[in-house]
C-alpha cells in the first residue's frame, strides 16, 4: 500500500514538474510579448507649459528633496523661451505631486511642486502609461531655461551645467556662504578649545588650593605636637 502511494505521489510530482517546464517558457514569452506590445502602442507625450516672454526671473522650489530624486530635470533651452515639459500626465506620479507655475508679478514666475490629494483613480490607461514611463526612464518633467533668465534657488549646484543671466552672482553667494560657514565652524572650535583650556586651568587651580590647604593643616598639626 505504501509503495503504491509513493508511486502515485511520484507520478503527480512528475506531471506537475513537466507542466511547469512546458508552461513557464510560454508564460515568459507571453509576458515579454505583452510588454513589447505595450511599449509600441503606448506613447508618453509631454504636456508643455510655456512661460511668457515678459518673465525674466524664475523662482524655483521643488521642496528640496525633489531635485535629487531625478524626477525633474533642468536643461538649457534651445532658444530664448522658458518652458516645462511634463511627462507624468495621467500616470501614478500625477496622483501624488503636481508641478505648479504661479506668477508673482509681471517679471517673476514661481515654479514649485504641490502634493495632490484625493486624485488616486486607477484605470487601464494610467497603469499602461505608468509602466511605460518607468520602463523607459522618463522624468516627471523637464524645465528648459534660456540664457537670458535669472534664477532664484537654494540649490545652485543643480543648475551647474546650465548658463543663465545671474549664474555668477549666485555662485559668488554660494562661495560666500561656504566661507562664512567655515569661519563659524572655526569660531565654534576655538570657543570649545578655550572652554576646555579654562576648565583645565580651573581644575588645576582647585588641586593647588587643596594641596596647599592640606600642607597648612599638616604644618599646624606638627606645631601643636611640639
Amino acid at each position: 500500500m505504501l509503495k503504491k502511494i509513493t508511486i502515485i505521489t511520484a507520478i503527480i510530482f512528475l506531471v506537475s514538474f513537466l507542466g511547469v517546464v512546458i508552461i513557464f517558457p510560454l508564460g515568459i514569452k507571453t509576458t515579454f510579448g505583452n510588454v513589447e506590445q505595450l511599449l509600441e502602442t503606448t506613447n508618453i507625450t509631454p504636456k508643455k507649459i510655456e512661460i511668457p516672454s515678459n518673465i525674466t526671473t524664475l523662482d524655483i522650489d521643488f521642496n528640496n528633496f525633489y531635485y535629487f530624486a531625478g524626477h525633474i530635470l533642468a536643461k538649457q533651452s534651445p532658444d530664448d523661451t522658458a518652458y516645462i515639459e511634463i511627462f507624468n500626465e495621467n500616470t501614478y506620479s500625477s496622483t501624488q505631486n503636481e508641478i505648479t507655475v504661479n506668477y508673482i508679478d509681471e517679471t517673476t514666475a514661481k515654479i514649485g511642486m504641490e502634493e495632490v490629494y484625493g486624485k488616486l483613480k486607477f484605470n487601464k490607461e494610467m497603469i499602461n502609461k505608468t509602466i511605460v514611463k518607468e520602463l523607459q526612464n522618463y522624468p516627471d518633467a523637464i524645465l528648459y531655461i534660456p540664457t537670458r533668465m535669472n534664477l532664484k534657488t537654494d540649490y545652485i549646484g543643480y543648475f551647474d551645467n546650465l548658463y543663465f543671466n545671474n549664474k555668477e552672482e549666485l555662485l559668488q553667494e554660494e562661495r560666500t556662504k561656504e566661507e562664512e560657514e567655515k569661519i563659524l565652524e572655526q569660531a565654534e572650535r576655538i570657543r570649545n578649545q578655550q572652554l576646555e583650556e579654562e576648565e583645565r586651568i580651573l581644575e588645576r587651580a582647585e588641586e593647588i588650593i587643596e594641596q596647599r590647604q592640606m600642607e597648612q593643616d599638616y604644618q599646624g598639626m606638627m606645631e601643636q605636637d611640639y
Side-chain angles (χ1 to χ4, degrees):
M1 182 67 179
L2 182 61
K3 183 178 180 181
K4 187 176 182 181
I5 294 174
T6 303
I7 294 172
I8 293 173
T9 304
I11 293 173
I12 293 173
F13 175 79
L14 180 61
V15 170
S16 300
F17 178 76
L18 290 174
V20 171
V21 170
I22 295 170
I23 294 173
F24 185 71
L26 294 176
I28 292 291
K29 184 177 180 180
T30 302
T31 300
F32 278 104
N34 290 339
V35 171
E36 185 178 7
Q37 182 181 9
L38 184 63
L39 292 173
E40 291 176 354
T41 58
T42 303
N43 295 320
I44 302 294
T45 304
K47 172 185 174 183
K48 187 175 182 179
I49 301 177
E50 294 188 6
I51 309 297
S53 58
N54 58 289
I55 298 298
T56 58
T57 300
L58 296 179
D59 186 352
I60 303 173
D61 182 10
F62 290 130
N63 297 331
N64 302 334
F65 71 90
Y66 217 76
Y67 289 112
F68 307 105
H71 293 289
I72 298 176
L73 304 180
K75 291 187 177 183
Q76 195 77 58
S77 175
D79 49 37
D80 204 38
T81 60
Y83 58 96
I84 306 171
E85 288 183 343
I86 299 176
F87 293 87
N88 70 344
E89 281 291 296
N90 198 28
T91 66
Y92 177 68
S93 298
S94 66
T95 67
Q96 297 177 303
N97 299 288
E98 190 174 81
I99 296 174
T100 59
V101 180
N102 297 305
Y103 297 98
I104 308 302
D105 52 44
E106 293 183 355
T107 60
T108 304
K110 186 175 182 65
I111 301 176
M113 181 69 61
E114 291 184 359
E115 292 186 0
V116 178
Y117 301 95
K119 197 178 176 181
L120 182 57
K121 296 179 181 179
F122 273 126
N123 53 51
K124 184 177 180 180
E125 182 185 5
M126 177 180 288
I127 294 173
N128 288 345
K129 282 194 172 183
T130 300
I131 293 172
V132 172
K133 176 178 176 291
E134 295 301 322
L135 288 177
Q136 295 188 339
N137 200 30
Y138 280 100
D140 281 353
I142 301 177
L143 172 60
Y144 290 89
I145 300 174
T147 56
R148 65 176 178 82
M149 195 66 67
N150 295 308
L151 297 188
K152 288 183 179 180
T153 177
D154 292 330
Y155 292 94
I156 178 62
Y158 192 76
F159 305 94
D160 190 51
N161 62 328
L162 304 181
Y163 294 96
F164 49 91
N165 189 51
N166 64 331
K167 182 175 183 177
E168 286 303 318
E169 178 184 341
L170 293 182
L171 288 174
Q172 183 57 49
E173 290 177 0
E174 187 74 11
R175 286 191 290 266
T176 300
K177 286 181 182 178
E178 290 177 357
E179 291 173 359
E180 290 175 349
E181 287 299 321
K182 288 181 181 179
I183 291 174
L184 291 174
E185 290 175 3
Q186 290 175 353
E188 182 67 19
R189 185 164 60 252
I190 291 171
R191 278 194 293 267
N192 291 335
Q193 289 174 348
Q194 289 177 337
L195 290 173
E196 291 175 0
E197 180 66 15
E198 290 174 359
E199 185 176 352
R200 188 188 67 78
I201 292 173
L202 290 173
E203 288 178 354
R204 181 57 183 150
E206 289 291 336
E207 292 174 358
I208 293 172
I209 292 172
E210 185 178 350
Q211 181 68 28
R212 289 182 177 181
Q213 185 64 46
M214 291 175 61
E215 291 175 354
Q216 289 177 1
D217 293 343
Y218 179 76
Q219 186 67 28
M221 290 175 59
M222 293 296 292
E223 290 176 355
Q224 288 180 2
D225 290 340
Y226 286 109

